[in-house]
């Protein structure tokens, strides 16, 4: 009996149609489909050098079982390595990118699951993770950590641009409010004016006024056509001043001691002068953070975030945190003129660091116009005792000394004068002072700058200056321009520091992969 195809009997219209069915394609291991030179294999090589049990082993919790943290850490770090900084971007990559499928074993966590993982495992231990990954790269690539090149940049915060609050404005308003409160207090009995007031003290006075009015049968009136009594006017004014005072004190407290502004939408962000504006390409104040990095052999050895606008004030804090992290300081530090100050030179001197740090006038001193200016004290001659001699031949001697309390280290500034400027024929071209010209001299700073100039102008100093320019500014160029990371995504300084650490880890991982592809590494 002839075999009858039941499928053809039920679906006769398919007899003359071409159709295909999807078949299972081997191999099942997605890693077999990846090119051997893919960055994912360099990434996994670095990850092998880190003991992840230290960070990812946590006790089980009640509720739904979470994703394997050892897989989650891989996709988060690999995403930052490949310029994927958003949670939804990582979620999408786990669904469409074969490399993320390979790392996650085809599981697809949501962006909220990734966020919960970051908050639970990475937020408090990201610095140690950064350190372990960097040390793993140092082992694989033989990185020289003796020389540290430091540089900084300002990144715009995730905050509204025109939400600034100025500390000076709050202080002025507070002081004016004190005066207005005293004017109202003088109208009350048994109450004396004070230099400063606290909102709690005003609350007591307001309560006393209310209780007194109740005893006397007074009632407060509001609305059009109602006439307020004198005591009600005092009460209403003091209540307004109390709210104003509390607002000013809150703003001053948020600013703290080290800065003079903040943003309403991110209190940790400081208003900083950025390099360009979105609208007219001009510099304006925008909320931001000062990001500092230290680079060793093209790798970011350490990165942290500061609220100070000046790089000078971040140098010592940066190296202190570096010391806390690695238990040692670099033997050589290279930095540009933004870090050249008395405190920074003294810090390097007291910690036996060979500092190749420019000072503010280092480049200016090489200009012909600067050298030809006879009345610039930097071009004056000195006698055997180190005293300055002006172009007219007058010897400047020390007339007073004062301690500079703004410096962290002991600093004494001397005032020098010759006492003969009033009768000197060259006074009009030498100084604009009404009487004698006075110059400020700091012998220790002059000596430190002289030593710094010798180091910077040496053959080794020239090479190190070029190295710093290529590595630190090159790192910021890759991160901000190539990776298009020119604005911070998270808010509050702790979250921002975590984000910058993740971005730096991603930079180091991709740098390691790219260096492996160079001829000398692949040979």
């Amino acid at each position: 009996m002839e075999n009858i195809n039941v499928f053809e009997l039920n679906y006769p219209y398919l007899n003359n149609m071409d159709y295909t069915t999807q078949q299972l394609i081997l191999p099942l291991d997605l890693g077999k489909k990846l090119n051997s030179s893919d960055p994912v294999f360099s990434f996994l090589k670095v990850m092998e050098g880190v003991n992840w049990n230290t960070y990812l082993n946590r006790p089980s919790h009640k509720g739904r079982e979470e994703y394997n943290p050892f897989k989650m850490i891989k996709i988060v770090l690999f995403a930052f390595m490949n310029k994927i900084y958003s949670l939804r971007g990582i979620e999408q990559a786990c669904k469409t990118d074969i490399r993320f499928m390979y790392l996650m074993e085809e599981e697809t966590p949501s962006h909220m699951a990734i966020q919960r993982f970051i908050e639970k495992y990475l937020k408090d231990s990201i610095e140690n993770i950064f350190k372990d990954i960097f040390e793993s790269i140092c082992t694989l690539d033989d990185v020289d950590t003796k020389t540290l090149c430091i540089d900084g940049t300002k990144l715009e915060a995730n905050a509204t641009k025109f939400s600034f609050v100025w500390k000076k404005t709050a202080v002025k308003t507070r002081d004016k409010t004190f005066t207005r409160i005293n004017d109202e207090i003088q109208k009350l009995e048994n109450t004396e004016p004070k230099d400063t007031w606290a909102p709690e003290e005003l609350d007591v006075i307001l309560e006393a006024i209310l209780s007194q009015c109740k005893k006397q049968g007074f009632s407060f009136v509001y609305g059009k056509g109602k006439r307020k009594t004198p005591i009600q006017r005092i009460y209403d004014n003091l209540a307004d001043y109390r709210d104003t005072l509390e607002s000013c004190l809150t703003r001053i407290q948020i600013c703290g001691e080290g800065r003079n502004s903040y943003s309403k939408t991110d209190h940790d962000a400081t208003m900083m002068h950025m390099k360009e504006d979105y609208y007219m390409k001009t510099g304006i104040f925008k909320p931001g953070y000062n990001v500092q990095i230290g680079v060793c052999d093209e790798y970011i050895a350490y990165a942290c975030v500061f609220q100070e606008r000046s790089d000078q004030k971040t140098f010592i804090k940066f190296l202190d945190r570096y010391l806390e992290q690695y238990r040692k300081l670099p033997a050589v530090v290279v930095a540009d003129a933004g870090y050249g100050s008395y405190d920074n030179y003294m810090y390097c001197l007291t910690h036996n660091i060979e500092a190749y740090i420019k000072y503010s006038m280092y480049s200016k001193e090489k200009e012909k116009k600067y050298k030809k200016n006879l009345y610039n004290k930097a071009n004056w001659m000195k006698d055997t005792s180190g005293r300055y001699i002006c172009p007219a031949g007058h010897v400047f001697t020390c007339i007073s000394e004062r301690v500079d309390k703004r410096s962290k280290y002991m600093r004494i500034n001397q005032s020098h004068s010759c006492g003969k400027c009033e009768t000197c024929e060259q006074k009009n071209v030498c100084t604009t002072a009404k009487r004698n010209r006075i110059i400020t001299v700091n012998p220790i700073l002059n000596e430190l700058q002289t030593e710094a100039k010798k180091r910077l102008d040496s053959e080794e100093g020239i090479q190190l200056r070029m190295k710093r320019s290529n590595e630190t500014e090159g790192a910021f160029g890759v991160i901000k321009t190539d990776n298009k990371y020119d604005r911070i995504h998270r808010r509050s300084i702790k979250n921002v520091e975590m984000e910058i650490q993740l971005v730096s880890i991603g930079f180091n991982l991709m740098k390691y992969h790219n260096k492996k592809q160079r001829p000398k590494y692949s040979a």
Side-chain angles (χ1 to χ4, degrees):
M1 183 177 177
E2 186 178 356
N3 294 329
I4 299 175
N5 191 332
V6 179
F7 187 84
E8 292 179 358
L9 291 176
N10 294 331
Y11 303 95
Y13 57 88
L14 294 177
N15 290 338
N16 297 325
M17 295 179 62
D18 294 331
Y19 66 92
T20 59
T21 58
Q22 188 174 7
Q23 297 181 359
L24 181 64
I25 301 175
L26 296 176
L28 294 175
D29 184 6
L30 294 176
K32 301 294 184 182
K33 297 183 178 182
L34 296 173
N35 193 310
S36 59
S37 62
D38 194 278
V40 71
F41 295 109
S42 301
F43 168 76
L44 292 174
K45 186 67 175 176
V46 176
M47 297 285 281
E48 290 175 1
V50 180
N51 182 14
W52 294 107
N53 292 319
T54 308
Y55 309 108
L56 304 181
N57 269 343
R58 298 286 177 88
S60 60
H61 66 286
K62 296 180 181 180
R64 185 178 178 181
E65 185 179 356
E66 61 183 10
Y67 289 96
N68 188 330
F70 294 93
K71 297 177 186 177
M72 296 290 284
I73 188 67
K74 290 179 183 178
I75 63 167
V76 171
L77 297 183
F78 190 68
F80 277 84
M81 179 182 177
N82 288 273
K83 302 176 285 187
I84 302 175
Y85 303 126
S86 69
L87 300 177
R88 294 184 184 272
I90 301 174
E91 176 187 1
Q92 184 65 22
C94 291
K95 297 177 181 178
T96 59
D97 193 322
I98 190 173
R99 299 173 300 175
F100 285 84
M101 295 179 186
Y102 171 63
L103 295 174
M104 200 64 199
E105 296 182 3
E106 298 193 67
E107 292 182 313
T108 55
S110 66
H111 65 280
M112 286 307 300
I114 299 170
Q115 171 63 17
R116 287 192 295 270
F117 168 79
I118 291 175
E119 287 289 327
K120 181 177 180 180
Y121 291 97
L122 299 187
K123 191 171 182 179
D124 295 328
S125 57
I126 187 62
E127 284 198 11
N128 294 326
I129 292 174
F130 176 89
K131 172 194 171 186
D132 289 350
I133 292 177
F134 176 69
E135 289 178 345
S136 177
I137 293 175
C138 291
T139 303
L140 294 171
D141 199 19
D142 192 23
V143 179
D144 179 19
T145 58
K146 294 181 180 179
T147 302
L148 185 69
C149 301
I150 300 176
D151 202 0
T153 189
K154 296 178 179 66
L155 288 179
E156 185 177 352
N158 181 14
T160 309
K161 285 185 282 294
F162 302 108
S163 61
F164 46 80
V165 176
W166 301 105
K167 184 178 179 180
K168 288 184 178 180
T169 303
V171 171
K172 289 181 180 179
T173 305
R174 180 200 62 184
D175 295 341
K176 289 180 180 179
T177 305
F178 287 154
T179 304
R180 290 168 182 167
I181 291 173
N182 286 329
D183 292 341
E184 297 296 329
I185 290 297
Q186 290 177 353
K187 301 176 184 178
L188 298 174
E189 297 179 358
N190 302 325
T191 308
E192 296 182 358
K194 295 171 58 177
D195 293 335
T196 60
W197 289 91
E200 294 78 10
E201 295 175 321
L202 295 178
D203 286 336
V204 175
I205 295 175
L206 292 173
E207 287 292 334
I209 293 175
L210 279 178
S211 61
Q212 187 68 23
C213 290
K214 287 181 180 179
K215 290 180 181 179
Q216 298 179 4
F218 292 137
S219 60
F220 290 171
V221 295
Y222 296 96
K224 188 176 181 181
K226 302 293 181 66
R227 183 177 294 277
K228 295 181 180 180
T229 60
I231 191 65
Q232 182 181 352
R233 291 195 187 97
I234 296 173
Y235 178 88
D236 290 343
N237 290 338
L238 287 177
D240 291 340
Y241 297 153
R242 189 262 179 211
D243 295 338
T244 302
L245 180 60
E246 186 175 24
S247 175
C248 292
L249 294 178
T250 301
R251 284 180 282 169
I252 294 170
Q253 183 181 5
I254 292 174
C255 278
E257 295 294 333
R259 55 185 185 146
N260 63 354
S261 62
Y262 70 92
S263 171
K264 294 178 183 177
T265 48
D266 184 1
H267 290 175
D268 291 336
T270 305
M271 304 305 294
M272 298 183 180
H273 191 82
M274 302 294 177
K275 290 187 178 179
E276 66 176 35
D277 174 36
Y278 291 134
Y279 306 104
M280 302 184 67
K281 298 299 180 182
T282 57
I284 62 170
F285 282 102
K286 289 184 284 189
Y289 291 93
N290 190 350
V291 179
Q292 298 286 317
I293 63 171
V295 181
C296 297
D297 268 0
E298 302 182 46
Y299 295 104
I300 298 177
Y302 193 66
C304 53
V305 178
F306 296 98
Q307 296 173 305
E308 288 86 353
R309 295 180 294 174
S310 172
D311 288 340
Q312 281 186 4
K313 296 180 180 179
T314 64
F315 181 82
I316 296 176
K317 295 179 181 179
F318 180 86
L319 288 179
D320 284 342
R321 292 177 63 174
Y322 182 93
L323 175 61
E324 183 181 355
Q325 186 72 11
Y326 290 100
R327 305 301 180 189
K328 63 178 181 179
L329 286 170
V332 179
V333 170
V334 190
D336 61 12
Y339 299 87
S341 69
Y342 179 84
D343 284 345
N344 294 344
Y345 284 131
M346 288 297 294
Y347 180 89
C348 293
L349 184 64
T350 54
H351 289 81
N352 296 321
I353 298 175
E354 192 173 356
Y356 290 82
I357 305 175
K358 295 180 182 179
Y359 47 91
S360 58
M361 300 300 292
Y362 174 76
S363 299
K364 192 77 175 177
E365 288 176 353
K366 298 183 178 182
E367 297 179 3
K368 290 183 178 179
K369 183 178 179 181
Y370 185 90
K371 293 179 179 179
K372 290 182 179 180
N373 186 359
L374 299 178
Y375 300 101
N376 186 345
K377 71 173 184 179
N379 299 324
W380 289 1
M381 299 291 293
K382 294 182 181 179
D383 60 11
T384 55
S385 301
R387 296 177 299 181
Y388 285 89
I389 303 175
C390 72
H394 303 146
V395 178
F396 277 61
T397 57
C398 180
I399 58 175
S400 65
E401 291 183 345
R402 64 180 179 87
V403 178
D404 192 342
K405 296 182 180 179
R406 297 172 298 175
S407 298
K408 179 179 179 180
Y409 294 89
M410 182 67 176
R411 177 174 179 174
I412 299 176
N413 292 330
Q414 300 177 348
S415 296
H416 289 214
S417 180
C418 65
K420 302 178 181 179
C421 295
E422 293 180 313
T423 58
C424 181
E425 297 179 354
Q426 302 181 31
K427 180 182 178 181
N428 293 334
V429 292
C430 180
T431 180
T432 57
K434 293 182 179 179
R435 296 183 180 179
N436 295 315
R437 178 176 179 178
I438 298 175
I439 61 175
T440 302
V441 179
N442 188 325
I444 298 177
L445 179 59
N446 291 343
E447 185 178 351
L448 292 172
Q449 291 179 347
T450 302
E451 292 297 322
K453 182 177 175 62
K454 290 180 182 178
R455 285 193 293 267
L456 291 166
D457 291 340
S458 65
E459 225 22 75
E460 183 180 3
I462 295 172
Q463 295 298 323
L464 288 174
R465 281 156 49 197
M466 293 174 59
K467 178 183 178 69
R468 185 209 65 83
S469 178
N470 293 334
E471 293 186 0
T472 58
E473 295 179 13
F476 279 129
V478 170
I479 292 172
K480 296 172 69 174
T481 304
D482 296 351
N483 298 352
K484 301 188 185 306
Y485 181 81
D486 54 0
R487 184 173 181 176
I488 294 167
H489 300 163
R490 290 168 174 80
R491 292 182 178 180
S492 83
I493 190 166
K494 189 168 185 179
N495 291 328
V496 170
E497 284 188 336
M498 179 190 66
E499 183 177 320
I500 294 299
Q501 296 276 356
L502 287 171
V503 171
S504 301
I505 289 172
F507 173 85
N508 286 344
L509 291 170
M510 186 56 74
K511 175 64 69 173
Y512 170 71
H513 171 72
N514 291 336
K515 290 182 74 172
K516 274 181 59 179
Q517 308 307 312
R518 297 176 187 175
K520 68 175 183 177
Y521 285 87
S522 58

